Amino acid sequence: MSLELNTSDAVPKAIRKVVCKRIDKAMEALDGRNRVVSDETVHEVRKRFREIRGTLRLVRGEIGDKVFRRENRTYRDASRPLSAVRDAKVLVDTLDELLKHFEGRVNKNAFLPLRRALEKRRRETRKQVLEKDRAVGRIVQGIREGKKRVKDWPLEACGWRAIEGGLERIYRQGRAAMNEARDDASDETLHEWRKRSKDLRYELELLQPLWRETIGPLAEEAHHLTDLLGQDHDLAVLQAVAQEESEAKDQNDEEPQNELLDALIDERRQVLQRDAMALGQKLYREGEKQFVARLRGYWKAARRKKPQKTPAPRRAPAAS
């Protein structure tokens, strides 16, 4: 089941089809009352919700601000409980990856008390969200209702005009966020750049069928960029949570370990931010109008290559 834009369909039909497929994927992953919701399921569903929100941004000019805000809120709110579960797991994974990266320089058991605390946080978060709050049922109900509304989205434009404005806005916002992060690399500006780069990544993945040989590598670059910025963000969160855990225990004998963790995180983040900026300047090297004009060319070329339907052969008249 493809989650890309089908160039053989008119844009309104293609957008509705791909959004409904993503909703179906999310509901399918969450289906099953007696099945434990795995971390892989949480990741899959959250990704589908992010993709839907990215698609909404692509056609925001078509559907209007009122519909955009309502639908964006639907999938944002549906994702929030799962985000808490996912974030709790990512903290453990991030600490493990950090130790793996500095293997040979740091003992793998250097931060065992912190890891135990993060594992406890993860178990408690899963129990709260998935068992006590029963979030899955509410999520499924909300997106099932959202799917019913897709057919009523006011999508009318059938060509490039339907997505041109959204694509230009997404690229412009990502470029501006990169420049702001370059001038002031704070946790907030880097996180904002990550979110705007994810928007671009999802649009490029959606548009890959236009010209896969060129847009495919662009989508991969955007994916790699969001991975670098994502790792940087996860390390920033780990650093903050580690500080919270330390303050809660109020144990001075952990200060050397905290200082070591901070040093490792700072060193790793410098490399990630440097690599992200180098890749970002390559991905966002064009102005938004130039970038959109280039993709418009791919769009027109793809439409010209679209195979024409072969008329059915005429049947010979029956013999009298």
Side-chain angles (χ1 to χ4, degrees):
M1 183 180 290
S2 174
L3 297 178
E4 299 172 334
L5 198 65
N6 188 340
T7 55
S8 65
D9 290 333
V11 171
K13 180 180 178 181
I15 292 293
R16 290 190 177 98
K17 183 186 294 186
V18 79
V19 168
C20 286
K21 284 181 178 178
R22 285 167 170 163
I23 295 172
D24 289 342
K25 283 281 190 181
M27 289 196 294
E28 179 184 343
L30 292 171
D31 189 29
R33 296 180 181 178
N34 297 321
R35 189 172 67 211
V36 175
V37 177
S38 67
D39 291 322
E40 291 73 19
T41 294
V42 170
H43 175 67
E44 169 78 8
V45 172
R46 289 181 67 245
K47 181 179 179 182
R48 297 308 169 207
F49 291 160
R50 289 196 302 265
E51 289 171 341
I52 292 170
R53 295 176 68 193
T55 305
L56 284 165
R57 290 187 176 90
L58 186 63
V59 294
R60 182 171 185 169
E62 275 289 291
I63 63 177
D65 286 345
K66 182 178 179 180
V67 173
F68 170 82
R69 284 194 293 267
R70 181 190 67 202
E71 302 302 332
N72 185 60
R73 183 170 58 249
T74 294
Y75 300 100
R76 180 199 64 199
D77 292 349
S79 184
R80 275 179 174 166
L82 299 180
S83 296
V85 175
R86 179 67 178 169
D87 292 348
K89 178 183 184 299
V90 166
L91 285 170
V92 180
D93 294 343
T94 300
L95 179 59
D96 289 346
E97 286 297 321
L98 185 69
L99 289 169
K100 183 178 178 181
H101 181 80
F102 288 105
E103 188 176 3
R105 288 177 53 185
V106 181
N107 188 303
K108 65 179 181 180
N109 296 321
F111 305 108
L112 271 182
L114 173 60
R115 196 183 191 286
R116 293 192 189 103
L118 296 178
E119 280 284 9
K120 180 182 177 183
R121 178 185 290 238
R122 174 174 175 260
R123 290 192 301 270
E124 291 175 347
T125 301
R126 284 185 60 86
K127 185 173 182 179
Q128 181 66 46
V129 173
L130 301 178
E131 297 179 24
K132 294 182 179 179
D133 295 346
R134 299 181 179 179
V136 171
R138 291 185 285 106
I139 291 170
V140 171
Q141 180 181 356
I143 62 176
R144 184 179 288 124
E145 293 172 356
K147 184 181 178 182
K148 295 176 183 177
R149 296 193 297 267
V150 173
K151 67 180 185 301
D152 298 321
W153 289 2
L155 295 164
E156 297 179 0
C158 292
W160 176 256
R161 184 167 56 88
I163 62 176
E164 182 175 27
L167 188 60
E168 182 176 324
R169 184 186 308 111
I170 288 165
Y171 189 83
R172 180 176 63 248
Q173 290 175 343
R175 197 162 182 258
M178 179 191 70
N179 290 333
E180 188 170 355
R182 181 191 58 203
D183 296 339
D184 174 24
S186 65
D187 293 346
E188 291 75 17
T189 58
L190 288 163
H191 185 47
E192 180 65 20
W193 182 24
R194 176 198 181 201
K195 291 190 294 183
R196 302 289 72 85
S197 296
K198 277 191 174 183
D199 291 341
L200 180 62
R201 165 192 162 186
Y202 294 138
E203 311 322 339
L204 290 172
E205 290 175 349
L206 188 69
L207 297 173
Q208 279 187 99
L210 298 180
W211 206 273
R212 200 171 294 276
E213 295 83 354
T214 302
I215 299 181
L218 275 177
E220 289 176 3
E221 286 182 357
H223 194 162
H224 185 39
L225 174 61
T226 59
D227 282 349
L228 291 170
L229 293 171
Q231 291 175 54
D232 178 76
H233 173 70
D234 294 340
L235 286 167
V237 175
L238 174 62
Q239 195 167 31
V241 170
Q243 183 63 34
E244 290 176 10
E245 291 289 338
S246 177
E247 291 174 355
K249 293 179 180 178
D250 194 25
Q251 294 179 359
N252 293 330
D253 58 352
E254 291 189 3
E255 287 185 5
Q257 291 296 303
N258 295 339
E259 291 175 359
L260 174 60
L261 181 65
D262 286 343
L264 295 176
I265 289 176
D266 290 344
E267 180 179 337
R268 182 64 182 139
R269 291 190 69 190
Q270 285 180 10
V271 174
L272 290 168
Q273 291 174 26
R274 182 197 65 201
D275 292 349
M277 191 57 64
L279 183 55
Q281 288 178 337
K282 178 182 177 184
L283 185 63
Y284 289 104
R285 64 183 180 275
E286 301 170 279
E288 60 267 20
K289 294 190 179 299
Q290 181 184 0
F291 175 79
V292 170
R294 180 154 64 95
L295 265 65
R296 186 193 305 122
Y298 301 147
W299 173 278
K300 291 181 178 179
R303 305 299 277 191
R304 286 196 297 268
K305 291 196 309 180
K306 186 173 69 173
Q308 301 297 317
K309 291 183 179 180
T310 304
R314 298 181 61 180
R315 298 179 60 183
S320 57

